[in-house]
Amino acid sequence: MKTLIRIICLVLMIVSFIAYIARASAFPIASANLLPWSLWFFLFAFANILLWQRVMKLLSFSLLVIWFYAFTASIVPETSTAKLDLSSIERTPDAFVEAGEAIFKGKGKCLTCHTLDPSAPKGRCPDLTGIGTRAATRKPGMTAKEYFIESAYEPEKFLVPGYGKIMPPVWKAPISLSNLEIETVIAFLQSQGGEVDLTPFEPPVDTGSAAVGVEVLPPILTGDPDRGKNVFVNGAKCVACHNVAGLEKPIDQTLDEGVEVVAAPELTDIAALNSLRYIEESILKPNAEIVSGYGSASVRVGGAAVQGTLVSQDSEQMVLRIKAPDGSETERTILFSELEPEPIEELVNLKEKGYFWVQATPADATAPISGELVEEDEESITLKVGDETQTISKSDVKVQVTVTTFDDDEPIVGELVSETDDEVILNVDGAERTIDQFDVDTMESSRAFGKRLAVTSPMPSNFPQLLSVADMNDLLAFLTTLTGEAAGETAAAAEGAEAAEPVPAE
């Protein structure tokens, strides 16, 4: 009889374990108080541990451990990624603000980069304390709600000074908020110091066509996340600077000559916040978009070059974190008014080169025009001078020339009138001066002067040469698994699977 009871308990334990894994309906079906198979398995496993001898005890205990981890994993997603049902939400400020806060802190993943506490450590994106009021001051002529709508659907249209283009359009994958979800988040942001306006609006972009584009574009290449993890750790050695939850850094890892360990953004949830295009661009073109607080800046102040990490900036000043030879770090605040103008030889791609203030003299003017660089195209530049803007033709500016001759100790500085193979004619203090080309030692010319803030990424730019196509593909496959879970969990989830489907370029 005792042996029969043991066998029955063993069979029931195995049956209940299989039923639990297969997600079978609770038993008994006819009862009003249904017992889930997870509970049946626990009871029978515990009974087998008491009834059987050593070998069966070990088997029962092993299954119990597997059940415990499977049960724990099954309930975590239900608590951490719970979906909010907005189908029956009342169109009232309180209901929208409450739902928007839940999405802001949950599905929208906004707190990953933003903060709601001015005393908190600086995030990748601006602090949103009091944004309900401040949003109306971001862009002239735009209300707070209009600014929120543009920021959600077209965040690249306006960048807060000091922050790069890193915020993804939240209506696109991988965040994929619906229009109603975005509307509730906007209501929550309006409540941060402002009034909630629930007037319906039409999205400024066609969200439907984008969804179709994501569905019809298949992956061109596939990679292996496990091999990509090895590239991340041992190949490109990204782990030396970037942290990933659950992924340990190798001890005494040797880096290539000229490469040093620097502070770099954490990548635990990089795939949950950014498209595959952004991740790929960050590897191949690290200077295209630099996360705020991680760029290296170089400026000239008081005749000396100052280098450091750009911590923050606004319209008037910047803060650099400067590392001393002994390894200590200090922060230095530098006013933009303190920066020294430097000569600009060619008026090409000024904004890309970091110029934000330009001084140029039109050919028909006697005095230079200087101001904030507002716009630039192939033919002209537009400067903000006082409360007005002035457009200057690039081909119609006076060229400033500095000539050093073999005979004169002091350089000759003037406006270029003409230049031939035989002579150079300059306008020096209102009078023309002719200089023989055979007497010229050096000659430097500039079409304008400008102040600039050159920010570069400390990340090596030679990965296109170091990584093969296969390595790059595997690395991207691994990075697409980083959605906020521990590295060990993501690797297990990705085992045997192909790389995630690429998100189309914006």
Side-chain angles (χ1 to χ4, degrees):
M1 180 62 68
K2 189 174 181 180
T3 301
L4 180 61
I5 294 175
R6 288 177 176 174
I7 294 174
I8 293 174
C9 286
L10 179 61
V11 172
L12 290 176
M13 179 186 69
I14 296 174
V15 170
S16 59
F17 182 78
I18 295 174
Y20 167 69
I21 296 298
R23 300 181 181 273
S25 300
F27 180 84
I29 302 299
S31 173
N33 298 315
L34 302 180
L35 293 181
W37 284 108
S38 58
L39 181 57
W40 284 116
F41 169 76
F42 177 79
L43 294 175
F44 290 125
F46 189 73
N48 277 281
I49 291 176
L50 295 178
L51 296 174
W52 284 95
Q53 300 300 321
R54 181 177 301 174
V55 175
M56 297 308 300
K57 282 180 183 288
L58 182 59
L59 173 62
S60 302
F61 180 76
S62 301
L63 288 178
L64 194 61
V65 171
I66 296 174
W67 166 84
F68 173 77
Y69 281 104
F71 180 77
T72 303
S74 69
I75 63 174
V76 168
E78 297 176 4
T79 58
S80 61
T81 60
K83 294 183 179 180
L84 188 65
D85 183 12
L86 300 181
S87 59
S88 58
I89 188 173
E90 296 182 11
R91 200 170 188 84
T92 63
D94 290 343
F96 267 56
V97 169
E98 181 181 357
E101 181 178 9
I103 295 172
F104 181 91
K105 297 178 178 179
K107 179 181 177 181
K109 297 184 179 294
C110 307
L111 283 180
T112 304
C113 297
H114 291 283
T115 55
L116 282 171
D117 180 4
S119 64
K122 182 179 174 65
R124 295 181 181 180
C125 297
D127 178 74
L128 299 181
T129 304
I131 191 62
T133 301
R134 291 187 289 109
T137 65
R138 291 288 202 216
K139 296 183 69 173
M142 181 175 284
T143 65
K145 184 167 184 177
E146 290 171 341
Y147 174 75
F148 287 138
I149 294 172
E150 180 183 90
S151 298
Y153 290 94
E154 301 172 287
E156 73 284 352
K157 281 196 170 183
F158 177 82
L159 302 178
V160 176
Y163 294 90
K165 190 177 68 175
I166 66 171
M167 175 174 170
V170 295
W171 55 276
K172 289 185 177 181
I175 298 178
S176 304
L177 295 186
S178 68
N179 292 332
L180 182 57
E181 289 172 330
I182 293 176
E183 199 172 354
T184 62
V185 172
I186 290 176
F188 169 67
L189 294 176
Q190 287 179 307
S191 71
Q192 304 303 301
E195 296 183 2
V196 178
D197 176 14
L198 296 184
T199 304
F201 62 87
E202 288 293 327
V205 296
D206 185 1
T207 58
S209 63
V212 173
V214 172
E215 181 179 350
V216 299
L217 290 177
I220 298 176
L221 299 172
T222 59
D224 183 87
D226 288 336
R227 291 199 302 264
K229 180 179 177 182
N230 184 57
V231 174
F232 185 87
V233 176
N234 301 310
K237 301 179 181 178
C238 314
V239 74
C241 300
H242 293 281
N243 290 324
V244 174
L247 190 63
E248 295 184 1
K249 297 178 182 290
I251 301 175
D252 298 330
Q253 189 176 52
T254 302
L255 302 181
D256 296 337
E257 184 178 355
V259 178
E260 59 178 323
V261 177
V262 297
E266 182 168 336
L267 302 182
T268 302
D269 51 4
I270 185 68
L273 301 172
N274 299 280
S275 66
L276 182 61
R277 170 63 181 269
Y278 171 83
I279 298 174
E280 182 179 23
E281 182 184 68
S282 299
I283 299 172
L284 301 179
K285 298 180 179 180
N287 290 313
E289 295 294 338
I290 301 175
V291 177
S292 177
Y294 294 96
S296 298
S298 176
V299 295
R300 290 194 64 83
V301 181
V306 180
Q307 295 181 330
T309 300
L310 181 63
V311 177
S312 64
Q313 73 177 90
D314 55 28
S315 59
E316 297 181 352
Q317 64 184 25
M318 73 185 79
V319 177
L320 296 184
R321 185 169 59 249
I322 302 172
K323 190 173 184 179
D326 60 0
S328 62
E329 294 183 340
T330 58
E331 290 191 356
R332 176 176 175 180
T333 301
I334 302 175
L335 299 176
F336 286 127
S337 59
E338 298 176 346
L339 300 185
E340 298 177 357
E342 55 185 77
I344 303 175
E345 294 185 10
E346 296 293 335
L347 297 175
V348 179
N349 300 329
L350 297 180
K351 285 201 169 185
E352 291 183 10
K353 296 174 182 177
Y355 288 100
F356 61 88
W357 181 92
V358 174
Q359 180 185 78
T361 305
D364 57 354
T366 57
I369 298 174
S370 61
E372 177 187 347
L373 179 60
V374 179
E375 293 181 357
E376 176 192 9
D377 56 34
E378 293 182 358
E379 299 179 353
S380 64
I381 57 175
T382 300
L383 305 180
K384 183 179 180 182
V385 183
D387 296 330
E388 300 179 351
T389 58
Q390 294 190 32
T391 300
I392 303 174
S393 172
K394 290 183 177 181
S395 62
D396 191 27
V397 295
K398 295 181 179 180
V399 180
Q400 189 85 0
V401 176
T402 301
V403 177
T404 302
T405 66
F406 294 107
D407 299 329
D408 298 322
D409 295 331
E410 295 294 328
I412 304 170
V413 180
E415 297 173 0
L416 179 66
V417 177
S418 65
E419 180 183 6
T420 65
D421 293 338
D422 298 325
E423 61 184 16
V424 178
I425 301 178
L426 302 181
N427 185 334
V428 182
D429 297 329
E432 289 190 359
R433 180 169 176 176
T434 302
I435 306 172
D436 195 304
Q437 287 279 20
F438 289 101
D439 295 331
V440 174
D441 184 13
T442 61
M443 184 172 68
E444 298 179 354
S445 62
S446 60
R447 301 180 64 82
F449 291 86
K451 296 181 180 182
R452 66 171 175 166
L453 175 61
V455 183
T456 58
S457 171
M459 178 173 169
S461 58
N462 61 344
F463 284 124
Q465 291 77 40
L466 294 180
L467 298 178
S468 67
V469 174
D471 286 343
M472 181 67 188
N473 202 30
D474 292 336
L475 178 59
L476 289 175
F478 169 68
L479 293 175
T480 56
T481 67
L482 303 181
T483 57
E485 303 175 28
E489 296 172 355
T490 57
E495 184 175 357
E498 294 183 344
E501 179 174 337
V503 177
E506 300 174 11

